Amino acid sequence: MFRTFNLTVVAAAATALMASTALARDLVINFDDLNPGPKEGFETAVEKFKAANPDINVIVNINDREAHKTAIRNFLTADAPDVTSWYPGNRMGPFVDAGLFEPIDDVWEENGLKEDMAAIMPTMSRDGKIWGVPYSYYQWGIYYRKDIFDLLGLEEFATWDDMLAGCAKMKENGVTPFTIGVKFLWTAAGVFDYLNLRTNGYDVHNGLTAGEIKYTDPRIVATMDNWETLINECGFVDNHASMNWQDAIAPFANGDAAMYVMGNFSVDGYKNAGLTADQIDFMPFPTIDPDVPLAEEAPADAFFIPTNAKNKEDAKKFLAFIAQPDIQTEWNKTIGQLPPNAKAEISDDKFIQEGFALLNSATGLAQFYDRDAPAEMAKAGMEGFQKFMLDPSTKMEVLERLDEVAADVYK
Amino acid sequence: MSDLSANQDSWLTRNKLSVAPWFFLAPALAFFAIYVVIPIFESISLSFYEWNGLYAPDGSSTAVWVGFQNYVKLWDDPNFWVSLKNNLAWLILYMLAVPAGLFIALFLNQTVPGMRFYKSMFFFPFVISQVVVGLIFGWFYNPDFGVVGSIWKALYCEETTNILGNVTFRCSRNAPDILSSPEWATYGIIFAGLWPQIAYCMILYLTGLNNVASDQIEAARLDGAKGWKMLWYVVLPQLKPATFIAVVVTVIGALRSFDMIAIMTQGGPFGSTNVLAHYMYEVAISEYGERYGYGSAVATVLFLIMLVYISYFLWRMYQDEKVSR
């Protein structure tokens, strides 16, 4: 059922043997996305790295995202590559704490990344050290049907009250304001994060996910009260608990629902559902409390060096290479996301343009509830949000249960 | 004479009758030990540790000894009790497969042209994978495009056009979202699980019915037995071995129910359809799990529950064997 302790020791010994026979200049890179766009972006960057470093023999392993999440737990010990893709925030926490990642402050120092990637640095750091180099990130916000807004004479919402008034108008005209599919839980966390970031701000988000603030704290209760208002006065599509995020595009594409709190990766989904660029647009989540500085959700993808890597010198070379503005520019144009390096250029896609402006003006970048909070807390939290969305009267019960879980997680 | 020759033969030749079975059993025993017995003990020992499944760079485990703490936590964990309660619901409702299988078998046990075809159609759900059954029922229950949703639309919804002129439906009542309802989702999954399980019990009873002694039926008929009395006093006692196996496989099927839940709800909404097997997977192996010690504690509890049934069944089988010898 579970891997034996002994087996791993044997496996580690076997790898050590293999390592001594491998060429010194091999550079093994594990990447985690087989989708055509991301794969192409990665492979192009690797080709350029090879051209710039002809003496390094680059070996690439590309795996499916979910498979990578499982495999990394074994290969970091048993058969470590020299570079692996992974996620910052709390997601890298267990590996950092187990000593499986190599700190790379020197890469950041020598390449001026502390200035060029200043906004994302806090989320790449843990225990006062920097652990990875991000190659891409993307914004979250509200994607909306421009054509429906035009028909109803609505503008992008700047404030919470604007949004509630707009929702009332949509409902009068038979449009459900929001679509969402919470079957796989995380979509609800996006709504929670934004309500919390707008109600209380970035520090409370971090305090909550770090276990310093209780879920029954009045500030979090205020966030949930706003969520209840959102459910009652705006409202989400029916049956959202049995839909995944792609299923939830259907009512949006059909014009039954007008808005979707989502990440920029969803634009592809809208286009595949038959919507044109003119029919959809992006707006930042409106302000709730004007005194709270705007922070945004911007999950990043990054590369890390395992402690057991055999060729750390070239691995650091590769990380420095993919941090370069020109590489990040091209890579993110291919995959339709944003380059974390402030000196990089962006494509003229309107969602990318708006996202870049939004994230550069943000006072803080949150990773996402399930990346900032530890796994156990994230699971319980997102289940709680799902329960609350199905029945808002369970609000306090949910928050009290989350405090119980938190007491155990952050001891 | 025989003593003399026995002394001349080697030990192996003298004992070949008792050695041979062990010789043939050895490979199976070795694999059983490696893949079943040793992991059970390993899992039990792991349940006394707190471990996120990671090893330090030098290959040493990062597990920390916590004694019975995982079990204490389990006791206070509402999700664990929900899972246990659902396991019980599975166990009780799954038993419906046994009588249902019996009646379908009795119904199919006739000589009608094309009977083999009907039998194979009834047996079909057992042949297809549980994953496929789960997917089919997931679609079946879907309130938007499933059979349930379509029937509901026909009854309670009217077709209109929305603001953009696209076809949409307005319903006077919301369609039942069975798999997202904390009250009904478990029963929805059990119902889906019953479909192949009934087929399994049916096939057990069909083979059992082949062995029912026709002279006894005839004798009973001459004595005036028919209908329920015939079934209860004459047929069922002869089906006792089939019933025994049907109950055993149904109990085990109910306790190890995992694939249907993983496919249809992943334990959701908010953990209300979890059973112990899936909860163990969720806390230990799934994306938000990484608590192997705690997962092992769940596994140990599930193992102990199974042990009760398994020991009882083994004991029963042993008793039956003794009688038949």
Side-chain angles (χ1 to χ4, degrees):
Chain A
M1 189 177 291
F2 299 105
R3 272 161 51 85
T4 70
F5 294 66
N6 293 341
L7 259 180
T8 316
V9 176
V10 173
T15 349
L17 267 177
M18 272 160 57
S20 59
T21 58
L23 280 170
R25 297 290 272 175
D26 276 353
L27 180 70
V28 183
I29 305 171
N30 285 12
F31 185 65
D32 68 341
D33 206 331
L34 278 171
N35 290 314
K39 186 164 174 268
E40 191 197 327
F42 169 67
E43 282 173 343
T44 313
V46 167
E47 283 312 315
K48 290 200 162 172
F49 179 72
K50 278 185 190 168
N53 300 278
D55 52 334
I56 300 175
N57 178 30
V58 182
I59 301 162
V60 165
N61 304 311
I62 306 181
N63 211 337
D64 164 66
R65 199 160 261 241
E66 297 307 315
H68 181 83
K69 282 178 187 167
T70 316
I72 192 171
R73 307 179 67 80
N74 289 326
F75 71 58
L76 284 183
T77 313
D79 184 17
D82 299 308
V83 177
T84 181
S85 55
W86 192 243
Y87 319 107
N90 205 289
R91 278 298 174 93
M92 69 181 186
F95 299 135
V96 169
D97 296 345
L100 290 168
F101 280 156
E102 184 89 359
I104 51 159
D105 294 69
D106 48 346
V107 176
W108 281 65
E109 202 73 63
E110 285 159 21
N111 297 283
L113 301 183
K114 285 188 171 171
E115 291 78 45
D116 294 349
M117 296 195 189
I120 200 113
M121 199 173 87
T123 185
M124 302 302 310
S125 309
R126 192 179 173 90
D127 302 336
K129 291 183 186 139
I130 308 176
W131 301 91
V133 170
Y135 62 90
S136 176
Y137 66 164
Y138 55 88
Q139 83 273 22
W140 271 66
I142 299 179
Y143 291 82
Y144 67 95
R145 286 295 298 264
K146 184 99 175 79
D147 42 1
I148 296 180
F149 271 56
D150 288 346
L151 272 175
L152 297 174
L154 294 171
E155 295 285 320
E156 289 190 4
F157 307 133
T159 66
W160 183 241
D161 292 334
D162 288 352
M163 182 155 88
L164 297 184
C167 285
K169 198 158 187 187
M170 288 180 209
K171 284 165 98 173
E172 272 168 34
N173 289 280
V175 177
T176 310
F178 284 100
T179 185
I180 195 169
V182 301
K183 185 176 181 187
F184 292 102
L185 307 172
W186 55 268
T187 46
V191 177
F192 172 80
D193 271 353
Y194 261 116
L195 288 166
N196 196 31
L197 285 172
R198 292 292 183 265
T199 310
N200 300 309
Y202 187 58
D203 293 338
V204 172
H205 168 89
N206 285 336
L208 182 73
T209 51
E212 290 149 10
I213 295 174
K214 284 189 155 217
Y215 282 82
T216 46
D217 185 286
R219 290 170 289 182
I220 307 301
V221 175
T223 299
M224 297 301 273
D225 287 341
N226 284 335
W227 199 348
E228 199 173 344
T229 309
L230 191 73
I231 291 171
N232 292 335
E233 301 200 15
C234 285
F236 294 87
V237 289
D238 294 333
N239 308 326
H240 57 72
S242 54
M243 293 194 278
N244 61 27
W245 75 265
Q246 291 102 329
D247 295 336
I249 291 177
F252 185 69
N254 196 44
D256 297 335
M259 295 182 282
Y260 200 178
V261 179
M262 252 295 141
N264 196 54
F265 56 85
S266 60
V267 172
D268 258 353
Y270 310 142
K271 290 183 176 161
N272 290 338
L275 295 172
T276 61
D278 302 333
Q279 288 176 294
I280 38 179
D281 208 346
F282 173 83
M283 65 176 146
F285 201 92
T287 52
I288 294 177
D289 180 346
D291 298 332
V292 173
L294 295 184
E296 307 295 330
E297 296 259 64
D301 293 321
F303 280 104
F304 296 83
I305 303 179
T307 309
N308 280 352
K310 287 134 220 155
N311 187 0
K312 287 178 190 167
E313 196 184 318
D314 288 334
K316 284 181 178 172
K317 230 182 234 179
F318 180 76
L319 291 196
F321 185 79
I322 57 145
Q324 289 173 19
D326 55 323
I327 300 296
Q328 295 218 335
T329 299
E330 191 183 338
W331 193 330
N332 285 290
K333 268 184 189 163
T334 312
I335 60 179
Q337 293 192 9
L338 294 166
N341 191 318
K343 284 189 184 143
E345 287 159 29
I346 51 166
S347 67
D348 45 14
D349 177 272
K350 71 172 172 183
F351 298 106
I352 297 292
Q353 298 270 357
E354 285 195 53
F356 194 69
L358 178 73
L359 296 188
N360 278 346
S361 65
T363 55
L365 296 180
Q367 277 303 295
F368 199 73
Y369 182 76
D370 77 345
R371 288 194 189 178
D372 284 331
E376 184 186 351
M377 191 67 240
K379 174 80 183 174
M382 294 190 303
E383 281 188 352
F385 301 152
Q386 190 192 34
K387 183 172 187 171
F388 168 76
M389 281 192 76
L390 287 177
D391 181 4
S393 70
T394 59
K395 179 168 59 192
M396 288 319 289
E397 180 196 325
V398 164
L399 294 177
E400 276 155 20
R401 170 65 193 148
L402 291 183
D403 269 348
E404 280 172 33
V405 176
D408 189 45
V409 172
Y410 308 99
K411 52 177 184 254
Chain B
M1 182 71 184
S2 63
D3 279 346
L4 200 75
S5 63
N7 284 336
Q8 286 159 354
D9 289 341
S10 71
W11 179 87
L12 201 66
T13 326
R14 272 182 286 127
N15 295 293
K16 64 180 168 194
L17 267 186
S18 49
V19 169
W22 290 107
F23 181 73
F24 286 109
L25 275 174
L29 285 179
F31 281 102
F32 189 70
I34 292 171
Y35 292 109
V36 179
V37 179
I38 296 173
I40 287 174
F41 286 103
E42 214 164 342
S43 174
I44 293 173
S45 77
L46 203 50
S47 72
F48 298 109
Y49 288 89
E50 189 174 304
W51 186 43
N52 63 4
L54 291 178
Y55 297 92
D58 59 3
S60 63
S61 168
T62 58
V64 180
W65 172 268
V66 291
F68 280 91
Q69 207 181 306
N70 283 327
Y71 292 94
V72 175
K73 261 196 239 170
L74 212 51
W75 185 264
D76 295 327
D77 183 351
N79 285 343
F80 168 73
W81 292 106
V82 168
S83 307
L84 198 63
K85 200 195 87 211
N86 285 339
N87 258 125
L88 205 66
W90 272 86
L91 206 55
I92 294 167
L93 291 176
Y94 233 44
M95 279 301 149
L96 291 176
V98 177
L102 172 65
F103 285 110
I104 295 177
L106 288 170
F107 174 68
L108 290 178
N109 194 36
Q110 330 177 19
T111 39
V112 175
M115 205 47 175
R116 275 166 192 271
F117 174 74
Y118 300 129
K119 280 182 186 171
S120 54
M121 288 283 72
F122 273 94
F123 188 55
F124 180 67
F126 184 69
V127 179
I128 56 178
S129 154
Q130 295 256 313
V131 174
V132 177
V133 174
L135 272 179
I136 293 174
F137 269 83
W139 292 330
F140 177 82
Y141 290 137
N142 189 294
D144 288 314
F145 58 79
V147 176
V148 171
S150 307
I151 293 174
W152 199 265
K153 268 180 196 157
L155 291 177
Y156 295 104
C157 304
E158 51 174 335
E159 202 179 297
T160 54
T161 51
N162 66 17
I163 188 165
L164 296 173
N166 292 333
V167 175
T168 187
F169 291 91
R170 295 254 172 277
C171 303
S172 53
R173 273 195 245 171
N174 281 339
D177 196 352
I178 295 168
L179 290 183
S180 304
S181 132
E183 295 88 30
W184 295 107
T186 292
Y187 302 106
I189 304 173
I190 295 175
F191 184 72
L194 275 175
W195 190 42
Q197 193 63 30
I198 288 173
Y200 195 8
C201 292
M202 179 203 78
I203 212 77
L204 291 171
Y205 276 119
L206 271 178
T207 48
L209 283 170
N210 278 338
N211 298 327
V212 169
S214 53
D215 50 342
Q216 288 189 21
I217 304 276
E218 217 152 290
R221 196 165 282 154
L222 285 177
D223 287 343
K226 54 186 163 191
W228 289 106
K229 281 199 164 168
M230 171 78 102
L231 176 66
W232 191 253
Y233 292 107
V234 182
V235 179
L236 266 188
Q238 297 191 57
L239 287 176
K240 212 179 142 201
T243 309
F244 178 68
I245 298 289
V247 170
V248 171
V249 295
T250 307
V251 167
I252 292 174
L255 284 177
R256 48 174 260 194
S257 51
F258 172 87
D259 18 20
M260 302 280 243
I261 294 162
I263 289 295
M264 293 171 77
T265 61
Q266 294 82 39
F270 46 90
S272 54
T273 58
N274 260 334
V275 294
L276 289 178
H278 192 267
Y279 190 52
M280 168 191 80
Y281 162 80
E282 192 181 288
V283 295
I285 304 165
S286 75
E287 187 177 351
Y288 300 110
E290 301 171 7
R291 288 182 292 156
Y292 285 85
Y294 195 57
S296 300
V298 179
T300 306
V301 171
L302 181 60
F303 172 69
L304 291 177
I305 296 172
M306 285 219 181
L307 204 60
V308 173
Y309 288 96
I310 293 168
S311 343
Y312 169 72
F313 290 134
L314 285 179
W315 178 77
R316 269 282 304 269
M317 266 154 107
Y318 181 68
Q319 296 295 319
D320 288 356
E321 292 266 294
K322 263 205 314 206
V323 171
S324 64
R325 252 181 216 166

